[in-house]
Amino acid sequence: MKFDTPATTNPIDRLKVVGKPTDRIDGPLKTTGTAPYAYERHDVAANQAYGHVLGAAIARGRIVSMDLSKAKRAPGVLGIVTARTAGPLGKGRANTAALLGGPDIAHYHQAVALVVAETFEQARSAAELIKVDYAGADGRYDLAAALDGAVKPERREPDSAAGDFEAGFAAAPVTLDQTYSTPDHAHAMMEPFASIAAWNGDALTIWTSNQLIDLTRNEVATTLGMPPEKVRIDSPFIGGGFGGKLFVRADALLAALGARQVGRPVKVALSRPMMFNNSTHRPATIQRIRIGAGRDGRIGAIGHESWSGNLPGGGAEYATQQTRLLYAGADRMTRTRLATLDLPEGNAMRAPGEAPGLMALEIAMDEMAEKLGMDPVEFRILNDTQVDPEKPERKFSQRQLTQCLRQGAERFGWSRRNPRTGSVRDGRWLVGMGMAAAIRGNPVRNSAARVRLGRDGVVTVETDMTDIGTGSYTIIAQTAAEMMGLPLDKVVVRLGDSDFPVSCGSGGQFGANCSTSGVYAACIKLREAAAGALGLDPATAIFEDGMVRAGGQSVALADAARNGELVAEDLIEFGGLAKEYAQQTFAGHFVEVGVDAATAEVRVRRMLAVCAAGRILNPKAARSQVIGGMTMAVGAALMEDLVVDKRRGFFVNHDLAGYEVPVHADIPHQEVVFLGETDPISSPMKAKGVGELGICGVGAAVANAVYNATGVRVRDYPVTLDKLLKGMPEMV
């Protein structure tokens, strides 16, 4: 199905199932511990052996020698995989560094060996017996020190310009020129990287935890030098990914290599301490923002420059992309530069670009509002735009940012905020309010699905779409139920198998909108087949309550399959609407914090998000997504920081004891409001993504609230008490 004209009235608009707050259909499996996660799939292959990964002990250099003799003689050891024994290996386009290092080492904890044994304990113990001698080399581990060598990235469009920024900024009556920084962040998802691999002749199956099934199948095939059709990837349940599981990682490759060497299935999981340096992370940024405005508060010039680092061949963190679209201003400039660092690979993490970019931009907007003597909400509303500021001929498909901000301010009690910093107290707590605007793209990707109607009237959906905890199973079931006129318990959903039609996958906030659109397209074909089998006109047939009605007739849907199962498959193909219109989601975030007047401890007291994100397919799941993003943003604002050892080139706090993330006690009640919105330009579902909007802007809202409470402006995240103490108001 081609989607190249705006959607009109269609069966989804009935909203009998879609749009209702619905419990997750996979919830009982997860809450009873019976959902099959990758490492626990004991039944998929008999006689599974265990693999343990050994990581490089240096950040850059070469392996001089590797003594495996003691490890080979250890009890239970079946085999040891190294770069020397693995045979020729390619490298997938999504991996910056080789997943199996040797002799060259690209980063700390790059895998250099896999020990395979009868038990996990035997594999781990034997791995400790491997003696590796390295020749270390000097590396680059400090982003600030590498800025002079940063270059324009080759990928995407790193720079943009409209008007004459330098002239416009120089002429502005009121200006801001500040630098902000965000540290490296870890995905720290609950489920570790884990895979089970088994060979059947020259065919390979990997049961794994991965967000993009078809990409992973092709990347595994490329790495192993085999045809993609000989690789099967199966990932029905994923315990969180946040972008860290978009691509094939060392666990999957090494499980396949280990299984090939020992001739039996092998399971591999990365230990928690290894995940932080072996896999990917969100790169640190240094950002310079300049804003020039008239005394009336209207922005005339806005410039945003960002620097990040990565391994040679890696990509940049595009922290300037939201600045191209969020606020008006005739004279504009964005610039992205990439430094070479020898730290572990930087790559996508929830809302790449916008998450760190808004952490800087939305502090800058508050600082500018203060210079102008304006309320932060009103300053943003004054500079709203209904067209792409860089391409004024390009309109937004929908843009309700002003409505988000106004409704949020009213619900949060923003009018009670005292703009004089450090002036509101509640016992020992200094109390402050902060806010931020949010924007996150609505990218679209082609997505396919297969639907089957059985003789029992049950519709089964098959697609390689994944559920990373987002609720994909449920919204896909809701879509099929709505389209076929069935209750939810008459729909079965099967996901995450590369034998199924290729979907968009999970990532980039495109999963919900695009995968359900693919199911919509397949159901259109199934409706046609069912109506035809029943002798009814497909154009006028109404599918409702398990019946098909047309021309005065009413027939049970199940009767369409009385002579055998009906199968339909289709692909949603997105046309030029995504280029013709700017498709974005928007939010207004509001936060209240308390800061201990003596210790500078920060406590978040209240949070509110008002979101405009198209049709909300399942409000219960969507709210869960938004509050999850808000929670991650609190972590980014107040505590998360992958600390770099700039001498040895690794992340020091590489476990959940040292890398702090929010816990229940850190998070208050979070309120989420969705504006009533449908976007027919986005898809036939008239929906948009929402999974990453919740993290965008919240970090700055927290920082702005801390400033309002204390008068201390922190521009280098995270906002920790050591950065506040010296500037705190006098104790009273």
Side-chain angles (χ1 to χ4, degrees):
M1 173 186 286
K2 275 276 192 183
F3 184 75
D4 49 15
T5 58
T8 56
T9 302
N10 64 47
I12 296 296
D13 295 327
R14 295 181 304 176
L15 298 181
K16 291 192 172 184
V17 186
V18 168
K20 305 298 184 188
T22 305
D23 291 345
R24 300 189 182 204
I25 62 173
D26 53 323
L29 293 176
K30 292 181 175 180
T31 55
T32 58
T34 53
Y37 288 92
Y39 197 72
E40 300 154 358
R41 302 191 68 178
H42 313 296
D43 60 331
V44 295
N47 202 25
Q48 296 174 17
Y50 292 80
H52 186 80
V53 179
L54 179 68
I58 63 170
R60 188 166 181 263
R62 290 176 58 83
I63 296 174
V64 176
S65 65
M66 183 180 290
D67 184 355
L68 308 178
S69 57
K70 289 184 178 179
K72 287 181 177 179
R73 295 195 301 268
V77 171
L78 301 170
I80 301 176
V81 176
T82 67
R84 179 171 292 180
T85 66
L89 295 176
K91 184 167 73 70
R93 61 182 176 87
N95 297 127
T96 303
L99 297 178
L100 178 59
D104 294 327
I105 300 300
H107 62 85
Y108 185 79
H109 268 175
Q110 183 180 23
V112 297
L114 177 80
V115 178
V116 182
E118 294 287 355
T119 70
F120 169 76
E121 291 80 10
Q122 289 173 333
R124 181 178 60 181
S125 179
E128 295 174 356
L129 299 175
I130 296 176
K131 186 176 186 302
V132 185
D133 288 328
Y134 298 95
D138 292 336
R140 296 149 292 189
Y141 311 123
D142 187 343
L143 176 60
L147 292 188
D148 289 343
V151 299
K152 183 177 180 179
E154 297 179 0
R155 304 176 193 173
R156 299 173 60 173
E157 296 179 6
D159 298 351
S160 68
D164 187 336
F165 169 73
E166 296 294 347
F169 182 75
V174 183
T175 61
L176 172 86
D177 185 348
Q178 288 290 355
T179 299
Y180 309 85
S181 69
T182 62
D184 298 285
H185 288 156
H187 301 88
M189 71 288 287
M190 186 160 53
E191 180 199 23
F193 296 93
S195 297
I196 300 171
W199 292 84
N200 183 8
D202 62 352
L204 170 66
T205 299
I206 303 178
W207 298 270
T208 188
S209 183
N210 188 272
Q211 298 176 225
L212 299 177
I213 301 302
D214 188 62
L215 174 64
T216 295
R217 177 177 64 173
N218 284 288
E219 297 281 80
V220 168
T222 297
T223 306
L224 294 176
M226 58 190 295
E229 58 269 20
K230 290 290 187 178
V231 178
R232 179 184 171 218
I233 304 295
D234 191 28
S235 186
F237 288 91
I238 302 166
F242 309 123
K245 295 176 181 175
L246 287 170
F247 320 117
V248 62
R249 300 306 308 167
D251 59 297
L253 174 63
L254 291 174
L257 292 172
R260 186 168 67 184
Q261 184 180 115
V262 305
R264 57 190 273 198
V266 170
K267 65 195 313 177
V268 175
L270 296 188
S271 66
R272 183 69 63 178
M274 177 166 280
M275 287 172 58
F276 289 79
N277 284 285
N278 174 271
S279 62
T280 63
H281 69 283
R282 190 198 301 281
T285 68
I286 296 173
Q287 304 177 48
R288 182 189 182 190
I289 296 177
R290 287 177 281 171
I291 303 174
R295 300 200 182 279
D296 62 354
R298 294 189 183 276
I299 294 173
I302 184 166
H304 192 164
E305 298 165 272
S306 178
W307 292 262
S308 60
N310 213 333
L311 290 167
E317 181 75 16
Y318 290 87
T320 64
Q321 57 196 21
Q322 72 289 322
T323 308
R324 299 179 178 186
L325 292 166
L326 190 50
Y327 298 114
D331 298 315
R332 320 178 62 83
M333 174 273 293
T334 68
R335 187 177 295 131
T336 298
R337 293 295 178 264
L338 177 63
T340 297
L341 296 179
D342 298 300
L343 293 171
E345 178 185 345
N347 215 313
M349 180 173 163
R350 197 174 197 170
E354 286 100 332
L358 283 162
M359 289 172 75
L361 177 62
E362 287 301 286
I363 289 183
M365 288 295 288
D366 256 44
E367 293 195 77
M368 193 65 180
E370 186 175 40
K371 278 177 171 272
L372 291 160
M374 292 185 67
D375 177 83
V377 172
E378 295 303 323
F379 177 53
R380 289 168 171 83
I381 290 173
L382 179 66
N383 288 287
D384 188 32
T385 173
Q386 292 299 309
V387 297
D388 180 341
E390 292 184 351
K391 304 170 185 175
E393 70 281 0
R394 185 172 178 242
K395 296 180 180 179
F396 286 90
S397 61
Q398 294 280 344
R399 181 176 171 122
Q400 294 197 77
L401 175 59
T402 292
Q403 293 89 327
C404 291
L405 296 176
R406 290 231 183 270
Q407 187 172 143
E410 181 178 352
R411 293 180 73 99
F412 200 70
W414 184 256
S415 61
R416 299 194 300 273
R417 170 184 176 270
N418 190 330
R420 188 164 62 88
T421 62
S423 60
V424 179
R425 292 179 181 260
D426 179 9
R428 66 189 177 99
W429 298 97
L430 295 162
V431 180
M433 293 187 190
M435 58 79 54
I439 182 173
R440 176 63 175 148
N442 178 54
V444 290
R445 291 170 53 131
N446 295 349
S447 194
R450 181 187 303 128
V451 286
R452 304 175 181 273
L453 174 63
R455 292 178 178 177
D456 55 1
V458 171
V459 168
T460 300
V461 182
E462 297 172 340
T463 171
D464 81 356
M465 179 59 184
T466 50
D467 191 323
I468 58 175
T470 45
S472 302
Y473 276 102
T474 307
I475 57 173
I476 285 173
Q478 288 176 273
T479 302
E482 194 77 74
M483 290 296 294
M484 302 309 299
L486 293 171
L488 212 53
D489 61 6
K490 284 289 187 178
V491 177
V492 173
V493 178
R494 302 175 66 196
L495 300 180
D497 191 328
S498 61
D499 285 347
F500 298 155
V502 177
S503 74
C504 58
S506 296
Q509 195 173 260
F510 50 70
N513 181 33
C514 298
S515 66
T516 55
S517 294
V519 174
Y520 171 95
C523 285
I524 288 289
K525 282 197 169 182
L526 184 60
R527 285 164 62 99
E528 292 170 354
L534 295 171
L536 303 176
D537 178 12
T540 60
I542 296 173
F543 290 71
E544 192 173 41
D545 300 328
M547 307 296 290
V548 186
R549 300 184 179 93
Q553 299 183 65
S554 182
V555 187
L557 175 62
D559 287 352
R562 61 183 177 273
N563 294 324
E565 181 183 56
L566 294 183
V567 182
E569 183 176 330
D570 204 0
L571 167 77
I572 188 77
E573 296 182 81
F574 291 96
L577 291 175
K579 293 183 178 179
E580 185 179 346
Y581 293 88
Q583 295 189 29
Q584 302 286 321
T585 60
F586 299 91
H589 288 290
F590 294 81
V591 173
E592 180 181 276
V593 302
V595 182
D596 190 293
T599 68
E601 174 191 359
V602 179
R603 287 289 180 183
V604 180
R605 295 158 65 108
R606 290 191 296 139
M607 301 182 76
L608 166 67
V610 180
C611 306
R615 171 175 282 154
I616 303 302
L617 303 177
N618 181 353
K620 180 176 283 190
R623 176 184 179 275
S624 178
Q625 284 296 286
V626 173
I627 66 173
M630 294 162 72
T631 300
M632 288 183 75
V634 170
L638 298 179
M639 60 194 74
E640 293 189 42
D641 182 359
L642 275 174
V643 179
V644 179
D645 185 324
K646 296 176 183 178
R647 303 161 303 161
R648 300 188 178 276
F650 70 99
F651 298 128
V652 178
N653 51 334
H654 50 89
D655 57 32
L656 290 178
Y659 185 80
E660 297 178 352
V661 297
V663 296
H664 288 292
D666 296 309
I667 303 300
H669 175 71
Q670 298 159 304
E671 185 180 2
V672 178
V673 176
F674 295 108
L675 298 186
E677 176 181 287
T678 57
D679 193 339
I681 291 169
S682 173
S683 75
M685 301 299 293
K686 304 174 185 175
K688 292 179 179 177
V690 73
E692 298 183 344
L693 183 62
I695 197 174
C696 294
V698 177
V702 173
N704 291 335
V706 170
Y707 173 73
N708 180 242
T710 65
V712 182
R713 176 63 76 186
V714 178
R715 301 183 181 92
D716 300 306
Y717 290 95
V719 183
T720 48
L721 57 85
D722 56 299
K723 299 171 185 176
L724 297 173
L725 278 170
K726 289 183 180 180
M728 291 285 286
E730 292 291 327
M731 294 284 292
V732 294

